Each structure stands twice: as structure tokens, then as C-alpha cells.
Amino acid sequence: MKFGVVTFPGSNGDYDSYTAAKFVLGKETVFLWHKSASLEGADVIILPGGFSYGDYLRSGAIARFSPIMKSVIAFAQSGGIVIGFCNGFQVLMESGLLPGALMRNSHLRFRHRFVYLKTENHNTPFTNMIPEGKTIKVPIAHGDGNFYNFQADVDELEKNSKVIFRYSDMNGKITNEANPNGSLNNIAGISNREGNVLGMMPHPERAVESILGSDDGLLVFDSMVNYLVNKPAKSA
Amino acid sequence: MSKSKAIVYIRLKEGVLDPQGKTIAHAMSNMGYTEFESVRSGRFFELECETRPDLEKRIDEISRKLLSNPIIETYRVEMV
């Protein structure tokens, strides 16, 4: 099992993701340069946090056209596991792999702190190891995390259980106070219709050892490993 | 080769919250300019281009595909 971490110019979460997968999880992990078109046989593609291409134009808008993204989009469309954290989420949306937009935080401030997430769907490649009823404590660090989409499309996500993570209090209660950026319905992470692509604003890769303040983020990595180990031999 | 110039104006759709505009309006009001009830922010791009028959169609494409995000923004092209 191999993890591939994409590095765009301006990525700053690529080493966090690499460290989580390679040293904490103990899996083979490679960096994938944005100018390359090869995914080097990776089974999981991570789009890391940061400020790809300086966030010029809109967050994620330029990264979407990089050579590596052509391959990532094809990989995702053939059922490959792709996860985007923070800026990676923004790239996934700009690429059209996930529906919606991430706007400037409603209060205009950059927010960096721990949040609690309620998992709304445990039956995904990214959440199957998160115990029912457990909120996970992971950090956020963003200025453009305000999830927005047309009401009909949000309803569609909700109806199909594609809202995977929601900002909550530590007991899993969804409140306005727990919403750090103004996101509709407290949405922190969503998946595509097929369920193989997940984007989330928080950073589970920065909460993988207790010395970091929380190791709850490791559950997201464990889930992907568990999914890949147990999935039927014939992949999509 | 004759040249053309286009300006593409991008703005948030009606109904999409514009916190920057709101903050600017608030600052104006604090400065005593209380007659301005609201401000909507936006941005524009100046494109210098080679003239070609399908230029307007091409500008429209690039405005939709790259310069704007159709979920939250609209654009208007002005040829100058």
C-alpha cells in the first residue's frame, strides 16, 4: 500500500501528510511533484494544505490545471482514493471533483485552533475506523473555509449522506458557536457521490500523535488503510 | 496582427454574502460617510489579445473556466 502526497508550489502541509503516512502509519509514501504526471502507483492520493500558487485568483484555482491534477482527476474518476485537506479541499472543488465553493471566512479572520468534528457517515473509506458517537479533535488553519453551494446541491449532499464531517462541540452537538467560518450547515468535510473522494477543511494529518495535542486524526488514516486492506480485489 | 483589449469584471452573485464589502461599508460609515448603505466588492482583469474571429467566445470560455467560479460569481466582459 502506497501513499502519494502532491506538492504544489506553496503547499505547506505536504510534509505533515508525508510524516503522518510514512512515519506514524508506517506506510510507503512518496512525494508527487506538481509538474509530473505520474502518480507512481500510489493507492491513496493526498492533496495537502497550504497556499498552492500563492492562492492567486482563488484558493486552488490554479493548482487545478497543473499536470499532476490531470492524473489525479483521472485516478479519482476511476475510483481511486483521494483525500484533500484544507487547500487540498479547495483544489478538489475547483477541479470539479467535489461540489461547492469555499469562500472567505464569514468574519474575514484566519482561524487556527482545534475544533471538534462530528462524523455523519461512518461507512466511507475515510471514516470506517472512527467509533460511533466519538467526536474527533483536529486543528483548522484557514482563511477561506466557508463552505457554500446552492441550496439544492446542499440538500442533495445531505440527502445522500455525503456530508461526512460537521463542526460540533466536543459532545457532537452542532451549534453556531462550533462553526469557525460560517460554513452552511456547519459542513467541514464532504465526499463525492461515489464516495472515493473526500475533502475537508480541518487537518487530521496534524493530529496524529498525542504530543501534537491530539492523535484523533490518525483515525482517518487508519480508516483508509482498513478500507484498502479489506476492499474487494477488483477495484473500480 | 491587430490587437484587442477586453476587461472581465467578476462579482459575487446577488445573495452571496460579501463580508469584505460589508466590512468596507462599515468602515465608510465610521468615517462619517453614512449615506452608503451597502458595498459589494469585486475585481477585474484586463486582457490584451490578438484579434481573431472567435475572440469573444474564447474570452467567454476563459471567464467561465478560470477567471470566475460560477458557483459564487458572475462575470461581465467589456471589449475596449
Side-chain angles (χ1 to χ4, degrees):
Chain A
M1 184 181 310
K2 192 169 174 182
F3 283 72
V5 179
V6 175
T7 299
F8 298 109
S11 293
N12 64 16
D14 46 346
Y15 275 83
D16 296 331
S17 302
Y18 182 88
T19 302
K22 171 131 180 155
F23 297 112
V24 183
L25 213 58
K27 298 295 177 194
E28 185 184 0
T29 307
V30 289
F31 284 115
L32 303 170
W33 185 235
H34 68 110
K35 282 187 176 166
S36 157
S38 167
L39 303 182
E40 298 185 24
D43 303 291
V44 175
I45 299 297
I46 299 178
L47 301 183
F51 301 87
S52 58
Y53 297 86
D55 271 356
Y56 291 170
L57 192 55
R58 295 177 304 276
S59 304
I62 309 289
R64 151 199 186 188
F65 294 103
S66 59
I68 195 80
M69 280 310 295
K70 272 208 178 87
S71 306
V72 172
I73 290 168
F75 178 71
Q77 286 170 345
S78 67
I81 298 298
V82 178
I83 188 166
F85 305 128
C86 198
N87 189 233
F89 187 14
Q90 294 159 343
V91 174
L92 287 171
M93 281 189 165
E94 286 283 344
S95 307
L97 288 173
L98 292 175
L102 290 156
M103 302 179 46
R104 185 63 54 87
N105 290 350
S106 56
H107 44 65
L108 293 176
R109 293 186 189 87
F110 189 93
R111 276 286 147 85
H112 53 106
R113 63 175 171 85
F114 276 103
V115 296
Y116 289 93
L117 301 180
K118 182 182 185 206
T119 304
E120 297 286 12
N121 182 347
H122 291 264
N123 187 24
T124 79
F126 313 95
T127 55
N128 56 73
M129 295 292 280
I130 300 174
E132 292 275 349
K134 177 183 168 61
T135 53
I136 60 170
K137 182 188 171 193
V138 288
I140 54 165
H142 62 251
D144 296 318
N146 181 358
F147 177 84
Y148 180 83
N149 205 344
F150 305 119
Q151 192 59 50
D153 293 303
V154 177
D155 292 346
E156 187 77 6
L157 281 171
E158 296 281 5
K159 196 179 81 197
N160 296 316
S161 302
K162 298 306 176 193
V163 173
I164 309 300
F165 293 115
R166 240 187 270 277
Y167 301 107
S168 72
D169 69 11
M170 65 184 298
N171 299 312
K173 205 164 154 224
I174 310 300
T175 64
N176 278 338
E177 294 70 44
N179 187 339
N181 53 29
S183 289
L184 282 178
N185 298 7
N186 280 41
I187 289 172
I190 61 171
S191 84
N192 61 342
R193 180 178 276 275
E194 295 74 19
N196 62 306
V197 177
L198 177 113
M200 61 192 297
M201 284 314 294
H203 289 279
E205 83 285 10
R206 293 179 188 170
V208 291
E209 291 174 289
S210 54
I211 196 172
L212 299 173
S214 168
D215 59 2
D216 287 352
L218 201 52
L219 291 166
V220 174
F221 285 83
D222 289 339
S223 295
M224 292 190 280
V225 171
N226 183 51
Y227 171 82
L228 285 170
V229 167
N230 294 310
K231 78 169 178 176
K234 187 189 170 300
S235 61
Chain B
M1 185 70 71
S2 80
K3 303 271 184 193
S4 300
K5 194 167 161 183
I7 305 179
V8 180
Y9 295 92
I10 312 283
R11 54 166 302 165
L12 286 167
K13 286 182 176 170
E14 294 294 338
V16 174
L17 187 69
D18 177 12
Q20 292 187 85
K22 232 172 156 178
T23 304
I24 293 163
H26 190 66
M28 284 162 55
S29 157
N30 285 346
M31 290 164 73
Y33 295 92
T34 51
E35 68 274 37
F36 301 104
E37 289 170 359
S38 81
V39 175
R40 299 285 285 174
S41 66
R43 61 199 152 153
F44 67 89
F45 301 92
E46 282 182 4
L47 312 178
E48 288 177 20
C49 14
E50 291 170 5
T51 303
R52 48 187 279 175
D54 58 350
L55 182 61
E56 291 196 25
K57 181 173 151 275
R58 306 264 293 175
I59 293 172
D60 196 59
E61 272 172 26
I62 201 68
S63 301
R64 189 161 23 86
K65 285 187 192 165
L66 177 64
L67 299 180
S68 74
N69 178 342
I71 293 176
I72 49 173
E73 295 167 330
T74 58
Y75 62 89
R76 181 170 62 82
V77 179
E78 192 180 297
M79 302 300 297
V80 291

